[in-house]
Amino acid sequence: RQAGLVEELLSPDLTDAFEVVHSTFEPGAALAEPVTRPTQELGYLVSGRLDLTIAGQCFTLGPGDSFRIRGQPFQWANPYPDPCMAIWVIAPPVY
């Protein structure tokens, strides 16, 4: 569990090969250290902005932007004044 991050499972359960998560990144929240998971992940930003670093490459994402992570180290931060909402698909499920 990460402070400043609220996640809601949108998948009916965790019995499929993937999970769908609704993530809300609160203003000022950040993942302090990079995380690497044995997964393939993609996300779509619904609202707000998010700084996302994937394998050392930094991106600033806004509404309508998408991203993909393939077992790479990643880190996120929301230094902006508004919450950021994203839909995140993770395979295999990790929650």
Side-chain angles (χ1 to χ4, degrees):
R1 190 109 189 122
Q2 174 68 39
L5 172 61
V6 178
E7 296 181 299
E8 177 185 358
L9 184 65
L10 297 180
S11 304
D13 55 40
L14 296 176
T15 61
D16 290 315
F18 63 90
E19 65 186 337
V20 181
V21 177
H22 179 274
S23 300
T24 302
F25 303 87
E26 296 297 332
L31 185 59
E33 297 293 326
V35 170
T36 303
R37 302 193 281 215
T39 56
Q40 289 195 37
E41 308 184 28
L42 66 87
Y44 175 82
L45 263 67
V46 176
S47 63
R49 289 187 290 169
L50 188 70
D51 291 346
L52 183 63
T53 302
I54 303 170
Q57 189 170 1
C58 299
F59 305 92
T60 297
L61 306 174
D65 288 339
S66 62
F67 60 88
R68 177 182 291 130
I69 303 167
R70 293 183 176 137
Q72 301 151 299
F74 70 93
Q75 195 170 3
W76 55 261
N78 180 4
Y80 306 104
D82 298 313
C84 172
M85 288 188 277
I87 303 299
W88 204 288
V89 179
I90 305 168
V94 294
Y95 291 102

